[in-house]
């Protein structure tokens, strides 16, 4: 048996918090003995009877002489009673014993220690388990209270590492996740997130209880009242102590809340429906997603799991009719232009993926009322070109390069300052490509080292139009400059070296904003207006690509992909696959809201390697991971050149694919601006193996498709970001006939 983490655990105050730690450590065999200390004899007896402690005493003093190295005293009494416990310990604490506590306020505990010992003792590890319930007392103790809960430790400069580690390991043994924080920060955070809600809950119930009609009020009080006021059943002594001990931070939180409450009152009094919808939709979104936002993670459920691994079993074929999710590029732009328009914009087919939701959340943070998304339907209450408000903090854009680059343009001409941040992948992506032209227009923009995010945009700068020649084929850069042009004096124009997706130009026109187009040049004049309307977002050809390639490579396949956008600036994948010999038909071609749409039928056919025409590269820029899989299945060599942009996508897609293909036994030679892939032609092409998608959604989905022509299972790591563009991918792939699962 390994040595337990704690020798003797002395729990001073055997209530919910202390008793639950005792039970948890016993269950985990993490301590040798538990001694309880309670003021009342009856509590001691109950604690023994319930198996919470091995023995119990009414006096702490009597327990101390037998303690020594490796033992821990856990002080779990109300905050203001902690000093009294420290006084008992002062001249009697044997060397080597660790003292820790569970009080909700850390500043007052540290001050009490200073008063009692005249210094901050090295054996003291202040702590606070963020767990509990409105129940209290010894009978409420549970052995699973701390599992998957957080415990914040606030070690001091004086705290010895050995004592800190003992307490850290003790809480981990109880199933908790341990974090550390400075004392002051802890008290401010808790004032806002825990102490203020208790003030409000107690206050609300008290207000109603004083009402003469209270009996009726309580009789008819339904779920909302119960949910909201549950914590008003908490232990009054404990909460009185917390209010007194954390006075300043709680007062600051109350003041902030009071200001917000009077704003809400004002909106109700004046019948300001927009303001009410604004407050409520922002709050709902924040509440729905707050854990993920705090974790700086994401906006949809999928991303909660940080580690997602795909298991793609070999073989199979795809068939049936499928509708893949809405176009990512158009979804972003629908929120942006809808927000800046006058009047209401109704969007159908909106992509509820992480990236587009990041854009949506950013506009909510800037005061735009947005209803939904609800099954692809979003209703945006436009605020006009000059109606955005300063967001309360930095805008976090997750994994989404499109959000950051387009927003940079839109925000460069606003009156307020704003900072744009993103996740690890986005934080590595080049932003000078947008910052440079925007500075030329008069914007003030700061970046991180080497032009990486965060972008810090200073408001109040008057922009002027420029005639910008893009150094690379990039729709994001083009769109950024044109969107800044809405706020610039005079004419802004872009000239691109090769055609890139033109959704910005088309959608601006759809919103009634005049855009001149002449070959590679697009231009507009600042100072116009956008008019809200309806937008029908077709299915994303970039998502459809995975099923097009799947059907093309897997014998016996035939799929119909419905209502896919086939804008000529996006159809490179169709041209390239056809050149390789794929059997692709475009059926029912039509135009929807200014964008060409078709149903795409793909049947299996043998493919042959080709030299990919460079002109097709920008038209298929997001489709290469899947096209590389097609190339590996084609007979002969496929050569890609002129595609250096692939190296600065969500990952370095040339390297990431070359590495993965090599693991799966395919010969793939990366070059600075492309790749050469030796296709095998017939039969099973890929070995089984484990590949890393590097958190890049399109790499993950491409390798999943490869399994259709694999000899053995392909495990794909780091797939959580598939939710950025294709939240439902696994289910749809299964429906189509692929043998794909999430581990
Ligand atoms: C996008 C443009 C492309 C593309 C991205 C979306 C857009 O990027 O890769 O997924 O919506 O404008 P670049 O313009 O940087 O090539």
């Amino acid at each position: 048996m390994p040595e337990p983490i704690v020798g003797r655990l002395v729990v001073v105050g055997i209530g919910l918090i202390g008793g639950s730690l005792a039970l948890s450590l016993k269950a985990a065999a993490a301590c040798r003995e538990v001694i309880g200390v309670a003021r009342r004899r009856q509590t001691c007896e109950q604690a023994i009877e319930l198996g919470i402690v091995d023995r119990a005493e009414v006096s702490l003093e009597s327990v101390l002489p037998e303690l020594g190295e490796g033992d821990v005293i856990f002080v779990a009494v109300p905050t203001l009673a902690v000093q009294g416990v420290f006084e008992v310990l002062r001249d009697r604490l044997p060397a080597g014993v660790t003292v820790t506590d569970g009080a909700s306020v850390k500043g007052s505990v540290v001050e009490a220690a200073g008063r009692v010992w005249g210094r901050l003792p090295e054996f003291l590890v202040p702590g606070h388990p963020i767990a509990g319930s409105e129940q209290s007392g010894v009978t409420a103790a549970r052995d699973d209270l701390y599992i998957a809960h957080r415990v914040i430790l606030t070690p001091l400069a004086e705290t010895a590492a050995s004592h800190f580690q003992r307490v850290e390991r003790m809480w981990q043994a109880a199933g908790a996740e341990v974090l550390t924080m400075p004392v002051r920060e802890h008290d401010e955070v808790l004032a806002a997130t825990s102490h203020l809600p208790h003030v409000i809950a107690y206050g609300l119930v008290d207000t109603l209880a004083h009402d003469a009609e209270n009996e009726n009020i309580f009789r008819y009080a339904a779920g909302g009242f119960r949910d909201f006021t549950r914590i008003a059943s908490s232990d009054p002594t404990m909460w009185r102590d917390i209010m007194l001990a954390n006075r300043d931070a709680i007062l600051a939180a109350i003041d902030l809340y009071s200001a917000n409450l009077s704003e809400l009152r004002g909106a109700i009094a004046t019948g300001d429906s927009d303001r009410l919808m604004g407050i409520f939709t922002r709050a709902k979104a924040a509440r729905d997603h707050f854990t993920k936002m705090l974790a700086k993670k994401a906006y949809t459920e999928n991303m909660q799991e940080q580690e997602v691994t795909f298991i793609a079993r070999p073989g199979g074929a795809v068939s049936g009719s499928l509708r893949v999710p809405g176009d990512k590029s158009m979804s972003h732009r629908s929120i942006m232009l809808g927000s800046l328009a006058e009047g209401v914009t109704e969007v159908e087919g909106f992509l509820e993926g992480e990236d587009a939701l990041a854009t949506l959340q950013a506009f909510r943070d800037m005061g735009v009322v947005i209803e939904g998304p609800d099954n692809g339907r979003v209703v945006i209450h436009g605020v006009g070109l000059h109606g955005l408000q300063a967001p309360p903090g930095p805008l976090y854009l997750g994994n989404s390069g499109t959000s950051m680059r387009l927003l940079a343009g839109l925000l460069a001409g606003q009156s307020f300052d704003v900072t744009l941040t993103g996740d690890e992948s986005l934080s590595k992506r080049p932003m000078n490509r947008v910052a440079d032209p925007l500075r030329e227009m008069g914007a003030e923009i700061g970046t991180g080292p080497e032009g990486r995010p965060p972008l810090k945009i200073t408001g109040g700068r008057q922009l002027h139009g420029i005639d910008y020649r893009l150094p690379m084929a990039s729709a994001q850069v083009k769109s950024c400059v044109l969107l800044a042009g809405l706020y610039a004096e005079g004419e802004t124009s872009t000239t691109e070296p090769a055609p890139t997706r033109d959704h910005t130009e088309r959608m601006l026109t759809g919103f009634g904003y005049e855009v001149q187009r002449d070959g590679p040049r697009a231009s507009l004049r600042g100072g116009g207006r956008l008019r809200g309307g309806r937008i029908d977002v077709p299915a994303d050809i970039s998502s459809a690509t995975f099923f097009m390639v799947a059907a093309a490579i897997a014998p016996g396949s035939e799929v119909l992909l419905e209502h896919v956008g086939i804008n000529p600036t996006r159809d490179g994948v169709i041209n390239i696959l056809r050149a390789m010999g794929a059997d692709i038909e475009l059926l029912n071609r039509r135009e929807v809201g200014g964008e060409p749409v078709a149903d795409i039928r793909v049947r299996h056919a043998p493919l042959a390697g080709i030299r990919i025409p460079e002109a097709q590269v920008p038209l298929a820029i997001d489709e290469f991971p899947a096209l590389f899989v097609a190339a590996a299945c084609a007979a002969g060599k496929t050569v890609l050149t002129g595609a250096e942009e692939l190296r600065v996508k969500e990952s370095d897609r040339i390297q990431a694919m070359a590495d993965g293909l090599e693991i799966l036994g395919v010969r793939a030679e990366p070059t600075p601006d492309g790749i050469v892939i030796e296709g095998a032609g017939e039969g099973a092409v890929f070995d089984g193996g484990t590949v890393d998608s590097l958190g890049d959604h399109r790499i993950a989905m491409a390798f999943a498709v490869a399994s259709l022509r694999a000899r053995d299972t392909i495990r794909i790591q780091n797939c959580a970001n598939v939710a950025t563009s294709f939240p439902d991918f696994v289910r749809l792939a299964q429906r189509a006939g692929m043998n794909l699962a999430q581990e």
Side-chain angles (χ1 to χ4, degrees):
M1 274 259 307
E3 201 41 23
I5 295 160
V6 174
R8 290 188 192 84
L9 173 73
V10 180
V11 176
V12 185
I14 326 171
L16 170 71
I17 295 295
S20 294
L21 179 65
L23 284 174
S24 311
L25 294 189
K26 283 178 136 214
C31 69
R32 220 174 314 123
E33 188 186 18
V34 178
I35 307 169
V37 177
R39 259 182 316 156
R40 292 165 54 222
R41 171 78 40 212
Q42 198 198 349
T43 310
C44 292
E45 282 162 11
Q46 254 181 320
I48 297 171
E49 234 165 74
L50 291 168
I52 295 172
V53 298
D54 298 311
R55 57 200 167 96
E57 303 286 345
V58 283
S59 120
L60 173 59
E61 234 177 295
S62 64
V63 178
L64 294 176
E66 51 180 306
L67 301 184
E69 179 67 40
D71 295 338
V72 172
I73 298 177
F74 179 51
V75 183
V77 299
T79 305
L80 295 186
V82 173
Q83 180 165 337
V85 176
F86 286 172
E87 277 159 6
V88 176
L89 297 180
R90 184 171 46 204
D91 300 318
R92 305 182 182 88
L93 188 74
V97 177
T98 304
V99 178
T100 186
D101 76 308
S104 295
V105 185
K106 300 282 40 105
S108 65
V109 168
V110 171
E111 281 163 26
R115 278 193 296 272
V116 170
W117 278 283
R119 65 186 167 94
L120 294 173
E122 76 289 350
F123 52 75
L124 178 66
V125 186
H128 177 206
I130 312 291
S133 84
E134 73 285 8
Q135 288 160 8
S136 50
V138 63
T139 50
R142 298 177 359 212
D143 67 2
D144 61 353
L145 184 69
Y146 300 117
I147 292 177
H149 279 78
R150 290 179 167 172
V151 172
I152 303 176
L153 299 181
T154 61
L156 310 160
E158 293 80 355
T159 309
S162 56
H163 290 288
F164 172 79
Q165 281 156 8
R166 186 170 298 141
V167 174
E168 185 182 36
R169 291 178 59 217
M170 173 185 88
W171 281 114
Q172 286 164 345
E177 182 198 348
V178 177
L179 319 173
T180 57
M181 227 184 240
V183 168
R184 195 191 157 102
E185 187 183 334
H186 169 275
D187 288 357
E188 284 171 6
V189 169
L190 268 289
T193 55
S194 166
H195 306 170
L196 177 65
H198 279 83
V199 170
I200 298 170
Y202 279 122
L204 176 65
V205 178
D206 186 49
T207 306
L208 297 193
H210 278 133
D211 193 294
E213 306 283 331
N214 70 63
E215 252 195 52
N216 270 342
I217 285 175
F218 286 118
R219 182 168 303 133
Y220 300 119
F225 178 82
R226 261 175 219 281
D227 285 353
F228 187 81
T229 58
R230 176 179 59 80
I231 52 180
S233 289
S234 307
D235 178 6
T237 313
M238 172 170 150
W239 283 97
R240 186 245 357 237
D241 281 13
I242 290 170
M243 298 303 146
L244 299 177
N246 200 20
R247 187 188 64 184
D248 293 350
I250 295 175
L251 288 181
I254 292 178
D255 290 347
L256 206 63
Y257 177 65
S258 306
N260 190 288
L261 190 61
S262 29
E263 189 192 327
L264 199 50
R265 186 187 189 287
I268 297 169
T270 56
D272 188 341
S273 138
D274 278 356
R275 174 150 294 201
L276 288 173
M277 277 302 278
I279 296 170
F280 294 167
T281 48
R282 270 199 308 280
K284 172 170 165 50
R287 161 75 205 185
D288 289 349
H289 303 304
F290 79 104
T291 32
K292 283 150 270 173
M293 279 165 44
L294 277 180
K296 267 203 146 201
K297 264 291 161 199
Y299 307 87
T300 60
E301 235 28 81
N302 284 11
M303 285 285 279
Q304 237 178 343
E305 306 161 48
Q306 305 196 355
E307 274 297 320
V308 172
T309 301
F310 284 175
I311 308 292
R313 301 201 192 283
V318 289
S319 63
S321 297
L322 302 172
R323 177 152 180 171
V324 301
D327 187 276
K328 183 157 75 74
S329 295
M330 288 186 230
S331 295
H332 282 296
R333 288 157 173 85
S334 67
I335 298 291
M336 294 178 186
L337 300 189
S339 295
L340 297 178
E342 287 161 29
V344 173
T345 294
E346 280 183 49
V347 186
E348 295 284 351
F350 178 79
L351 165 66
E352 296 180 35
E354 302 278 335
D355 280 11
L357 290 174
T359 293
L360 189 152
Q361 186 61 33
F363 281 90
R364 277 198 176 128
D365 286 347
M366 292 188 286
V368 181
V369 175
I370 303 175
E371 296 173 56
D374 185 6
N375 248 326
R377 184 167 188 271
V378 176
V379 179
I380 309 160
H381 299 259
V383 295
L385 272 173
H386 298 282
L388 294 180
Q389 294 161 22
L395 297 176
Y396 175 65
L397 302 170
N399 194 247
S400 177
T402 309
S403 306
M404 187 168 288
R405 298 210 178 104
L406 270 57
L407 275 173
L410 257 180
L411 297 176
Q414 303 292 336
S415 58
F416 50 84
D417 298 351
V418 58
T419 299
L420 308 180
T421 66
D423 72 1
E424 203 186 321
S425 151
L426 182 53
S427 300
K428 289 186 197 138
R429 297 182 67 186
M431 291 298 149
N432 277 341
R433 52 177 61 199
V434 290
D436 289 342
L438 291 174
R439 287 182 191 127
E440 259 184 64
M441 296 177 80
E444 194 178 327
I445 300 194
T447 68
E450 296 168 52
R452 315 265 179 230
L455 289 184
K456 289 188 193 303
I457 303 174
T458 306
R461 306 291 305 229
Q462 177 55 56
L463 306 184
H464 50 82
I466 57 169
D467 188 0
Y468 192 61
R469 274 187 177 278
L470 275 77
M472 74 288 284
S474 166
Q476 293 181 352
V477 176
K478 171 177 66 174
S479 302
C480 164
V481 172
L482 290 175
L483 292 173
L486 299 175
Y487 293 90
E489 272 169 0
E491 189 186 70
T492 299
S493 72
T494 54
T495 304
E496 50 188 358
T500 65
R501 65 191 68 194
D502 63 356
H503 306 299
T504 302
E505 298 91 307
R506 285 177 190 248
M507 211 181 273
L508 277 169
T509 309
F511 274 89
Y513 206 102
E514 200 181 325
V515 180
Q516 307 282 352
R517 302 185 62 183
D518 183 10
R521 189 167 186 276
S523 63
L524 52 77
R525 300 191 71 82
R529 308 164 102 170
L530 298 166
R531 265 194 328 270
R534 274 189 56 86
I535 296 177
D536 183 336
V537 178
D540 196 328
I541 190 167
S542 298
S543 298
T545 289
F546 298 103
F547 293 100
M548 291 169 62
V549 169
I553 65 170
S557 296
E558 172 174 341
V559 289
L560 184 73
L561 295 153
E562 297 165 359
H563 202 76
V564 181
I566 51 158
N567 181 314
T569 59
R570 297 284 298 281
D571 66 359
V573 61
I574 298 175
N575 304 330
I576 294 168
L577 282 175
R578 277 183 171 160
M580 295 173 82
D583 177 355
I584 302 178
E585 276 178 278
L586 301 184
L587 309 170
N588 192 14
R589 295 174 81 131
R590 54 210 182 267
E591 186 154 317
V592 178
E595 291 275 353
V597 171
D599 302 330
I600 305 180
R601 180 150 70 210
V602 187
R603 295 192 181 94
H604 169 68
L607 302 181
I610 59 164
R611 178 172 279 280
I612 296 173
E614 289 198 2
Q616 293 297 322
V617 170
L619 312 182
I621 192 68
D622 291 337
E623 284 62 85
F624 285 102
L627 285 170
F628 292 176
V629 168
C633 299
K637 193 185 281 195
T638 293
V639 181
L640 172 69
T641 55
E644 50 279 282
E645 277 294 304
L646 292 182
R647 293 203 178 268
V648 290
K649 292 296 178 187
E650 286 84 327
S651 68
D652 174 344
R653 286 184 174 159
I654 291 175
Q655 197 58 48
M657 285 304 296
D659 290 347
L661 288 173
E662 198 189 306
I663 290 171
L664 302 180
V666 174
R667 278 179 54 202
E669 190 65 46
T671 61
D673 68 337
I675 197 165
V676 179
I677 296 173
E678 298 288 347
E682 296 286 289
V685 165
F686 303 97
D687 295 336
T690 299
V691 296
D692 190 347
S693 81
L694 301 173
D696 183 328
H697 52 140
R698 300 202 196 279
I699 306 280
M701 292 185 275
F703 282 123
V705 169
S707 66
L708 289 161
R709 291 279 295 272
R711 276 179 275 277
D712 210 339
T713 299
I714 303 178
R715 293 182 78 240
I716 310 154
Q717 295 171 317
N718 275 313
C719 297
N721 279 340
V722 165
T724 58
S725 67
F726 205 151
D728 219 13
F729 176 68
V730 172
R731 208 184 49 82
L732 228 62
Q734 289 168 345
R735 224 185 79 198
M738 284 169 59
N739 214 330
L740 179 66
Q742 196 165 306
E743 191 176 66

